Each structure stands twice: as structure tokens, then as C-alpha cells.
């Protein structure tokens, strides 16, 4: 069972669980914290829920560092893994992470929830705002009359201003809204942010 096999099954399940394309965005390889890490699949609707895949061919070597980054920026996280990895995963990820097993039966990959994901208790404001492109973040500041002194500055200054003026919950709401408003070609434009 390869990563691509698990990914296809996961994407099919996400589209089955979230059929409303107007309210839900499913994104592959979503960059976090200025590209330090990428979550395999993210579902953006009332929350940002990241799904990380660990197939039979993967190792868990990078999982601890991935978990540190994911736990800063994602409201929910679920790891989808081959059964052989489940015990090791339970020791490496926070207890609020969900765990699904991915088992190949014939040509199909079956996904089964082992542990339900819970809301992240430790989101970090500055990590959340880094989902925003500079223009998106600046527009939020303009909308709230907070852009004075930062309009010509770097996106880090703009992100810092946002982080200092809004709660984590408010920022998460704004980020979800902006992600869902992006044009369908936004993945190709992401490097311009």
C-alpha cells in the first residue's frame, strides 16, 4: 500500500463526508508556517482539519517535528496510517490528534477511525495568520482600520499586527473565510503571497 493509494481513499472519503463544495474546501499539500511543513490534505469549512498520511512505506522519523508544526496552526489533526504504525504514532502525537487506520483489502483501501480528533487546545496566533497572503492580511487590517504604519511593510509585520489585535478564534475565522474565497487556481498562485 503506497501513499497515493491512501491519499485517493482519503480524498474520496473527504468528498463523501463534505459534499457541499460551497462551504468546504479540500486542499492537498497545504503549507504551514511559511512552508516549514505541508499537511497532506486539509479540509477547510467550520475549522481547518489537517490529515497526515503515513503509509506502509513511510517511516515515522519526521513525525515529531511535523506534529510540532501542525499543532501550532491546525484546529484539528488526524493521522491516517498503516496499522503497523499505529502504536508508534500514539507515542509521538498529542492525545487530541485523531488516528485512522488504512488497510488494503484487495484493490481498495479501507479507512477506520481508531481515535476521534479533538479541538487543538494550543493554537498559536502567529502560526494561524501565516496561512494568509500579504494582500489578504493587509485587507483585514484595512477593514478594521488597523493598517496605519504597516501598509508598506513586510508580511511578517502585517501578520504581527493581526496577531496582536485579534484573538486566536477571530483569526481562525478570518483565515478560513479568506482560504474559501480564493480563486480555484490559488495553489498555483501561492508562491506569490
Amino acid at each position: 500500500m503506497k501513499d497515493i493509494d491512501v491519499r485517493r481513499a482519503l480524498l474520496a472519503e473527504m468528498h463523501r463526508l463534505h459534499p457541499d463544495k460551497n462551504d468546504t474546501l479540500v486542499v492537498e499539500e497545504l503549507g504551514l508556517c511559511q512552508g516549514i511543513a505541508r499537511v497532506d490534505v486539509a479540509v477547510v469549512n467550520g475549522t481547518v482539519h489537517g490529515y497526515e498520511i503515513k503509509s506502509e512505506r513511510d517511516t515515522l522519523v519526521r513525525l515529531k517535528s511535523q506534529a510540532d508544526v501542525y499543532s501550532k496552526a491546525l484546529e484539528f489533526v488526524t493521522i491516517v496510517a498503516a496499522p503497523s504504525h499505529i502504536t508508534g504514532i500514539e507515542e509521538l502525537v498529542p492525545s487530541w490528534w485523531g488516528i485512522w487506520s488504512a488497510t488494503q483489502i484487495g484493490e481498495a483501501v479501507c479507512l477506520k477511525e481508531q481515535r476521534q480528533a479533538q479541538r487543538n487546545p494550543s493554537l498559536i496566533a502567529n502560526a494561524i495568520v501565516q496561512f494568509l497572503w500579504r494582500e489578504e492580511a493587509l485587507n483585514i487590517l484595512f477593514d478594521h482600520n488597523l493598517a496605519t504604519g504597516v501598509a508598506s511593510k513586510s508580511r511578517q509585520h502585517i501578520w504581527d499586527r493581526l496577531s496582536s489585535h485579534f484573538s486566536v478564534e477571530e483569526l481562525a475565522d478570518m483565515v478560513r473565510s479568506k482560504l474559501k474565497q480564493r480563486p480555484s487556481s490559488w495553489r498555483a498562485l501561492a508562491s506569490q503571497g
Side-chain angles (χ1 to χ4, degrees):
M1 181 174 59
K2 300 176 190 171
D3 179 281
I4 190 66
D5 302 319
V6 179
R7 184 178 298 258
R8 283 184 189 132
L10 178 59
L11 289 170
E13 182 66 2
M14 293 302 99
H15 291 296
R16 185 188 72 75
L17 290 173
H18 308 285
D20 184 357
K21 298 200 185 304
N22 293 322
D23 186 52
T24 301
L25 176 66
V26 178
V27 182
E28 292 184 69
E29 301 297 329
L30 180 63
L32 308 172
C33 299
Q34 299 186 63
I36 291 174
R38 290 188 179 276
V39 67
D40 290 317
V41 174
V43 175
V44 182
N45 47 30
T47 64
V48 178
H49 191 145
Y51 291 83
E52 178 62 22
I53 296 168
K54 295 296 181 192
S55 71
E56 291 172 339
R57 296 183 180 196
D58 288 321
T59 69
L60 302 181
V61 172
R62 295 183 312 132
L63 184 56
K64 182 69 175 118
S65 62
Q66 288 173 312
D68 291 343
V69 175
Y70 296 177
S71 295
K72 292 177 184 177
L74 297 168
E75 294 169 86
F76 288 84
V77 180
T78 295
I79 189 158
V80 183
S84 59
H85 289 315
I86 299 295
T87 301
I89 286 168
E90 291 172 337
E91 297 170 7
L92 291 172
V93 302
S95 60
W96 57 268
W97 278 37
I99 300 174
W100 290 7
S101 65
T103 308
Q104 187 157 12
I105 300 173
E107 295 294 314
V109 173
C110 296
L111 304 175
K112 182 179 179 187
E113 185 176 68
Q114 303 288 313
R115 182 170 79 192
Q116 185 174 15
Q118 298 173 28
R119 184 172 289 279
N120 181 348
S122 57
L123 284 170
I124 296 176
N126 199 264
I128 295 168
V129 296
Q130 290 177 24
F131 282 117
L132 297 171
W133 294 338
R134 183 184 183 283
E135 182 180 317
E136 292 169 332
L138 189 55
N139 285 339
I140 292 170
L141 291 177
F142 276 120
D143 290 346
H144 291 86
N145 297 316
L146 295 169
T148 304
V150 295
S152 63
K153 300 221 173 174
S154 71
R155 65 182 177 180
Q156 187 60 57
H157 282 93
I158 294 167
W159 289 336
D160 289 345
R161 175 73 57 92
L162 278 172
S163 297
S164 67
H165 281 82
F166 296 99
S167 70
V168 168
E169 293 79 16
E170 290 170 321
L171 292 169
D173 286 343
M174 292 175 194
V175 164
R176 289 190 303 269
S177 176
K178 292 294 184 185
L179 290 175
K180 289 191 278 187
Q181 290 172 16
R182 287 180 179 173
S184 60
S185 60
W186 76 277
R187 293 290 299 139
L189 300 172
S191 62
Q192 297 175 13

